Amino acid sequence: MAEKKLKSRINAVRNNFYALQLVWKMCPRMVVHMACSRALYYFGWLFYSAFFMRYVINALQAGETFNAIMIFIGITVAVFASMALYNSYILGNVKPVTDAEVNKKLYQKLFKKSRNVELECFENSDFYDKYTLAMKNADTRLIETVDMLFGLFFGFIASICAFVFMFQVDKLSVTFILLPIIGNFYFRILNSRIDYQRNKEMAPHNRRIDYINRIMYLKDYAKEIRLTNIFNLLKRQYTDAITGVSDVTKKFVFKSAFLHWFYVMFTFTFIFEGLLIYGAYRTLVSNTMTLPQLAVLTSMMVSTTWILIGFTDSVTAGFKNGLFVDYLRTFLEYEEKIPEDYDGADPGTTINSIEFRNVSFAYKETPVLSDLNMKFDGGKTYALVGHNGAGKSTIIKLLLRFYDPTEGEILLNGRNIKEYNLQKYRALFATAFQDNRMFSMSVADNVTLGEDIPDAQKEQIVSEALKLSGVYDKVMSLPQGINTTLTREFDDNGAVLSGGEFQKIVVSRAFARRCPIKIFDEPSSALDPIAEYQLFDNILKACRKNTLLFISHRLSSVQNADHVFLLEHGQVKEEGTHRELLDRHGLYADMYQKQAENYLADSTKQTEGIWA
């Protein structure tokens, strides 16, 4: 346990120096100004208590001229005024600029890294948690880490200097420094542990409170809250959570108050009162201390206490921020398995064949595909069908190189896809995913997704894609047509479309992109049968010159495919044309028959409902 703590502390120190190096590379002048500011802060405390007070009192006792004393005071005032002016300059002029510079450069690094890591990282909960922790207020926390590092460095030097100055004045007085050290490094740490344990036990209750506070003003929950009695359940949970917070507070209140009392007594009271009584006795009773010595001693007492408090704060913050920097460092130093900027051969634009050869794939040691063999000839239409979990979407992810096979290889025109430039390889594909996402941008931007299309052609391409997906009339009925913003995230006049309409926008993306391979992943899952039929008819017509690959649960939509692959448990169980598979009377035929019966049953119920 002790060895683990030691390693953790050593790692925290290394991480703090990593933060210093990182900020130095991004903005050296910020580091210089932070160092100067911290050094001047501690210099001010030491100079006032150790030199200024001693000189003035000694000068008065020695009978120095008033002019000499005032010159010294004037120089001191000028120095401190210059320090104050410098700090004002830092806060008002330098800090806003350097903070913005670090923010810009740091998030450029983070965004570039997040863009470059493979998809698996975002699906790995441990990595993703560290990624989000690294991203959250990263610039502010990084700057604070460097500032605390200088606070630690100069605070340590100032503490040593304060110890030496007090030892010069009175050797016994240095023992009083132990009191704030005990207060800060023992009782304060104990109290921090109590706070940590209390916050840990409060966390489940606070999460519940935050959850209820949040859903009470979210529109997604408004209808249920008004149409049901769910509010009473939420109210009961909220009351229980508040009671839980109160119970945890009561559990720790005595320990916390007790330790806080000792912290205050050791850090402030014992040294202030004790050193004053000690100095008064030496000066007034035993006559072993002069008045200047007493003045310097009491002044040093105040400055030493605050120097130690500042130093302790820096130590605590250093270990705390070290964990954040560890997340940041882990993320920035992560070595990508499939880097987005991977360079390789140019795949060209001609598609002769795509082949899965003995491909197996496991996700987190769970087998998904097993010894899969498939071949797609260029210019033909292929359908992947099968139940949920059969591996259809995984095949698409492997084809797009979001993942690499655990075993086997995928070939494009007879060459392993790992050998191609990744960006140029992915440029061969236009995809419409089932788990689509809509961006708070215009319809046109949601369709083109940043493709470099001349403005003169953009409207025509977008309009044609919307017509093919069947959502053109709906879009043109919106206030600004294809320039209407989707969602109301940033625009109160934005359009909120239905699930089926959103899906058609997503399908438009694949229509709009000019590339040799088109992939549609369940493009009709939110559409009615008539709209589905029209969509697939448009897909087949618009993509007749492309290599077309689509996934569908509804077998009625794959009848016109050149070749159908039926997958089950990560393997191809049957393949052939729609007619060949029906004639085989196997799994495909059985699935098709059951879907047809369900469809007819649903149609009959709807008809009976109309005539009832």
Side-chain angles (χ1 to χ4, degrees):
M1 188 68 178
E3 185 180 351
K4 186 177 180 181
K5 283 186 176 180
L6 179 62
K7 287 182 178 179
S8 177
R9 289 171 181 172
I10 293 173
N11 192 46
V13 173
R14 288 174 178 169
N15 287 331
N16 278 276
F17 279 103
Y18 172 82
L20 176 62
Q21 292 173 354
L22 190 59
V23 175
W24 175 262
K25 290 178 182 177
M26 292 186 291
C27 186
R29 65 172 178 155
M30 169 182 273
V31 177
V32 172
H33 283 302
M34 279 198 290
C36 292
S37 183
R38 278 287 183 170
L40 290 174
Y41 170 80
Y42 285 112
F43 169 78
W45 277 111
L46 289 173
F47 179 83
Y48 177 80
S49 57
F51 296 102
F52 180 79
M53 291 298 296
R54 178 188 294 184
Y55 173 81
V56 171
I57 295 174
N58 281 335
L60 289 172
Q61 278 200 333
E64 289 281 349
T65 64
F66 178 76
N67 287 340
I69 295 174
M70 290 306 297
I71 289 172
F72 176 77
I73 293 175
I75 293 172
T76 303
V77 170
V79 170
F80 275 86
S82 299
M83 289 167 55
L85 186 63
Y86 172 73
N87 281 327
S88 297
Y89 170 72
I90 295 297
L91 292 174
N93 295 78
V94 176
K95 196 173 188 308
V97 175
T98 54
D99 282 1
E101 189 174 343
V102 169
N103 176 283
K104 175 184 176 183
K105 292 182 178 179
L106 177 61
Y107 278 100
Q108 281 179 342
K109 283 178 174 288
L110 290 169
F111 291 152
K112 181 180 179 181
K113 192 69 176 182
S114 64
R115 174 72 175 82
N116 211 44
V117 297
E118 62 273 11
L119 184 66
E120 182 182 354
C121 293
F122 291 88
E123 296 178 348
N124 182 318
S125 59
D126 183 55
F127 183 94
Y128 188 72
D129 287 344
K130 290 183 178 181
Y131 164 62
T132 53
L133 287 168
M135 292 286 281
K136 188 176 181 181
N137 301 323
D139 56 329
T140 304
R141 295 167 73 183
L142 188 65
I143 293 168
E144 287 176 354
T145 300
V146 176
D147 188 44
M148 287 301 103
L149 188 61
F150 285 122
L152 185 66
F153 177 72
F154 290 111
F156 177 75
I157 294 175
S159 299
I160 298 297
C161 291
F163 180 88
V164 171
F165 292 149
M166 289 189 71
F167 186 81
Q168 289 177 343
V169 174
D170 183 82
K171 294 179 176 59
L172 189 59
S173 66
V174 297
T175 57
F176 286 91
I177 294 179
L178 295 175
L179 299 174
I181 290 176
I182 293 172
N184 279 281
F185 284 96
Y186 183 69
F187 289 110
R188 188 179 183 185
I189 290 174
L190 288 179
N191 207 24
S192 296
R193 290 175 182 171
I194 294 293
D195 289 341
Y196 172 78
Q197 188 62 35
R198 178 176 57 205
N199 292 334
K200 183 179 179 181
E201 293 189 22
M202 280 185 178
H205 306 298
N206 285 327
R207 281 201 303 270
R208 175 64 63 181
I209 292 169
D210 291 341
Y211 171 74
I212 296 172
N213 285 336
R214 186 170 68 254
I215 69 173
M216 286 303 296
Y217 65 82
L218 289 177
K219 65 177 182 179
D220 297 343
Y221 300 89
K223 293 191 293 293
E224 283 78 4
I225 289 174
R226 283 153 181 78
L227 295 174
T228 68
N229 291 321
I230 193 65
F231 177 78
N232 292 329
L233 292 176
L234 292 172
K235 182 179 177 181
R236 189 184 311 155
Q237 290 184 351
Y238 193 86
T239 302
D240 291 344
I242 292 292
T243 303
V245 169
S246 177
D247 290 342
V248 172
T249 302
K250 291 175 184 177
K251 177 181 176 181
F252 291 97
V253 66
F254 178 75
K255 280 184 180 180
S256 181
F258 182 74
L259 290 173
H260 184 72
W261 182 84
F262 271 102
Y263 162 70
V264 172
M265 294 300 291
F266 273 85
T267 303
F268 299 103
T269 307
F270 290 162
I271 185 173
F272 285 1
E273 305 298 333
L275 201 55
L276 279 173
I277 293 171
Y278 170 76
Y281 175 83
R282 291 280 310 274
T283 304
L284 301 176
V285 179
S286 65
N287 295 317
T288 55
M289 182 179 289
T290 64
L291 185 60
Q293 288 177 316
L294 177 63
V296 171
L297 196 62
T298 54
S299 180
M300 285 298 303
M301 169 191 69
V302 175
S303 60
T304 300
T305 300
W306 287 110
I307 286 170
L308 287 171
I309 290 174
F311 176 63
T312 308
D313 286 340
S314 297
V315 171
T316 305
F319 287 115
K320 182 180 177 181
N321 290 338
L323 184 60
F324 151 72
V325 179
D326 187 55
Y327 293 144
L328 182 67
R329 185 176 184 177
T330 299
F331 180 65
L332 289 177
E333 293 184 347
Y334 174 76
E335 187 173 344
E336 302 91 339
K337 297 174 184 175
I338 311 175
E340 290 292 316
D341 58 0
Y342 175 78
D343 196 12
D346 188 340
T349 57
T350 301
I351 307 300
N352 296 319
S353 65
I354 300 172
E355 183 179 358
F356 282 68
R357 185 179 294 173
N358 303 320
V359 169
S360 296
F361 178 74
Y363 181 71
K364 292 184 177 180
E365 299 182 357
T366 302
V368 181
L369 301 177
S370 177
D371 197 27
L372 184 74
N373 289 280
M374 305 171 70
K375 188 173 183 181
F376 310 105
D377 293 324
K380 291 189 176 182
T381 299
Y382 294 87
L384 301 180
V385 299
H387 297 294
N388 288 333
K392 302 183 298 297
S393 294
T394 301
I395 289 172
I396 302 302
K397 290 178 180 179
L398 290 172
L399 183 59
L400 294 170
R401 276 210 79 194
F402 289 152
Y403 299 94
D404 281 333
T406 309
E407 295 178 9
E409 58 182 349
I410 303 172
L411 308 174
L412 171 67
N413 297 337
R415 189 170 181 177
N416 195 312
I417 62 173
K418 293 181 181 180
E419 299 177 19
Y420 292 117
N421 176 290
L422 187 57
Q423 292 302 311
K424 291 180 179 179
Y425 171 74
R426 287 193 182 149
L428 299 173
F429 299 87
T431 54
F433 291 108
Q434 178 183 3
D435 52 345
N436 58 78
R437 289 294 179 268
M438 203 59 58
F439 297 94
S440 187
M441 301 175 184
S442 70
V443 174
D445 287 335
N446 265 287
V447 172
T448 59
L449 294 179
E451 284 288 308
D452 187 15
I453 301 172
D455 292 337
Q457 301 176 23
K458 187 173 183 178
E459 183 174 350
Q460 180 184 349
I461 290 173
V462 171
S463 297
E464 184 62 29
L466 294 172
K467 288 176 182 177
L468 288 169
S469 65
V471 75
Y472 177 78
D473 291 338
K474 174 62 180 179
V475 170
M476 296 314 293
S477 71
L478 300 175
Q480 298 180 48
I482 65 172
N483 295 314
T484 303
T485 300
L486 294 180
T487 79
R488 294 188 181 131
E489 186 80 20
F490 307 110
D491 187 353
D492 292 337
N493 297 317
V496 178
L497 305 180
S498 68
E501 290 164 344
F502 269 135
Q503 188 171 40
K504 290 177 181 178
I505 296 289
V506 172
V507 171
S508 299
R509 295 169 178 171
F511 283 132
R513 191 167 185 181
R514 301 296 184 255
C515 55
I517 308 171
K518 306 271 186 169
I519 299 176
F520 295 88
D521 182 5
E522 293 289 354
S524 61
S525 58
L527 305 183
D528 60 73
I530 296 175
E532 178 189 37
Y533 174 81
Q534 186 62 55
L535 176 61
F536 273 101
D537 188 52
N538 289 343
I539 289 175
L540 292 171
K541 289 178 181 177
C543 303
R544 60 184 179 274
K545 294 182 180 179
N546 299 100
T547 302
L548 176 60
L549 176 62
F550 63 88
I551 296 174
S552 180
H553 282 96
R554 300 173 184 172
L555 302 189
S556 59
S557 61
V558 308
Q559 297 181 38
N560 295 318
D562 294 321
H563 201 82
V564 180
F565 291 96
L566 173 66
L567 290 116
E568 190 172 280
H569 305 304
Q571 293 180 321
V572 176
K573 293 298 183 181
E574 295 180 3
E575 62 174 295
T577 65
H578 171 71
R579 175 46 55 188
E580 288 171 349
L581 293 176
L582 286 181
D583 292 342
R584 195 175 297 172
H585 301 293
L587 293 173
Y588 180 89
D590 183 61
M591 190 183 300
Y592 183 83
Q593 183 180 357
K594 288 178 180 177
Q595 287 189 7
E597 289 173 354
N598 290 334
Y599 179 76
L600 289 173
D602 289 341
S603 299
T604 303
K605 288 179 182 178
Q606 291 176 11
T607 304
E608 291 174 350
I610 292 173
W611 288 102

